Amino acid sequence: MRGKTVVITGGTSGIGEVAAVALAKMGARIVLVARDKSRGDATLARLHDSAPGIAHSVHFADLLRLAEMKRVAAQIAAHESRIDILINNAGALFGKRRLTEDGLEYTFALNHMAYFVMTAGLRERLLASGPARIINTASAAHQGATLDFDDLQSAKSFRATKAYGRSKLCNILFTRELARRLHGTGITANCLH
């Protein structure tokens, strides 16, 4: 991983933070996308402690908002000369149905649309850096989930676990289609539980 640049959303806690620290220790330069400044700065300090001498960085964005997703992707693309790995990891399970300012249900917006928009915004940088990799954090919670294209925003019926499972199914379907479309370009796309 030495010399590789890795962009990670949701890298300030859980799986994302563990991955960020482990990859940094292997020599990768980590570019975090964080919502909370204090958590982002704390994780950045941990990265500098675990892998000194590498210019890790953090960009702040609220990945519940489409404009913020687009802004931070453009900011990273403009700042980074290469991106070897994009790890779309930000996600959450929300107990109540809420809509973002864009009219998207929170779970769908964060767990799926952020992956889609970040990937689209960084696609050209990944292509130019090939071979490159896109990794999407999915979940076995997709099992039993179905997509209702007439109710993707869970307006007719909302259950937190159902919305979460549906968003994770979207991650898997997105990754499969991304892998198909990127075949032969030097970018691989994978998802994980």
Side-chain angles (χ1 to χ4, degrees):
M1 293 301 300
R2 190 159 308 286
K4 303 280 186 194
T5 298
V6 181
V7 175
I8 304 178
T9 69
T12 61
S13 65
I15 294 168
E17 185 176 24
V18 169
V21 171
L23 292 167
K25 285 180 180 178
M26 295 168 67
R29 188 169 69 78
I30 307 301
V31 177
L32 294 170
V33 177
R35 177 178 41 91
D36 182 88
K37 180 150 178 45
S38 62
R39 284 176 46 185
D41 290 342
T43 301
L44 189 59
R46 274 193 290 285
L47 291 173
H48 288 304
D49 288 345
S50 16
I54 300 176
H56 307 294
S57 63
V58 61
H59 296 263
F60 297 98
D62 179 354
L63 295 181
L64 285 168
R65 300 174 55 213
L66 289 170
E68 285 285 289
M69 297 173 203
K70 291 175 185 178
R71 180 196 56 77
V72 78
Q75 186 180 59
I76 292 168
H79 188 260
E80 299 300 329
S81 60
R82 67 178 296 117
I83 298 172
D84 300 287
I85 301 169
L86 167 61
I87 302 175
N88 287 306
N89 175 71
L93 187 148
F94 298 97
K96 291 182 179 178
R97 183 177 187 272
R98 294 169 52 193
L99 296 180
T100 68
E101 65 185 35
D102 302 300
L104 299 173
E105 187 274 319
Y106 266 47
T107 312
F108 185 80
L110 180 62
N111 293 8
H112 176 60
M113 289 305 298
Y115 288 23
F116 187 89
V117 173
M118 288 295 295
T119 300
L122 298 176
R123 184 177 186 270
E124 294 305 315
R125 186 63 70 226
L126 288 156
L127 283 168
S129 304
R133 182 174 303 263
I134 299 166
I135 302 168
N136 295 321
T137 302
S139 169
H142 81 281
Q143 296 173 354
T146 58
L147 294 182
D148 179 352
F149 289 100
D150 293 325
D151 191 29
L152 280 179
Q153 302 309 311
S154 304
K156 295 176 188 171
S157 125
F158 179 85
R159 282 194 352 259
T161 54
K162 181 179 176 184
Y164 183 81
R166 180 180 287 171
S167 72
K168 295 293 123 184
L169 177 58
C170 287
N171 294 157
I172 293 167
L173 296 174
F174 169 59
T175 305
R176 288 179 58 122
E177 181 60 16
L178 195 58
R180 187 188 71 77
R181 288 184 184 209
L182 293 173
H183 182 75
T185 66
I187 301 177
T188 59
N190 296 279
C191 57
L192 64 102
H193 161 69

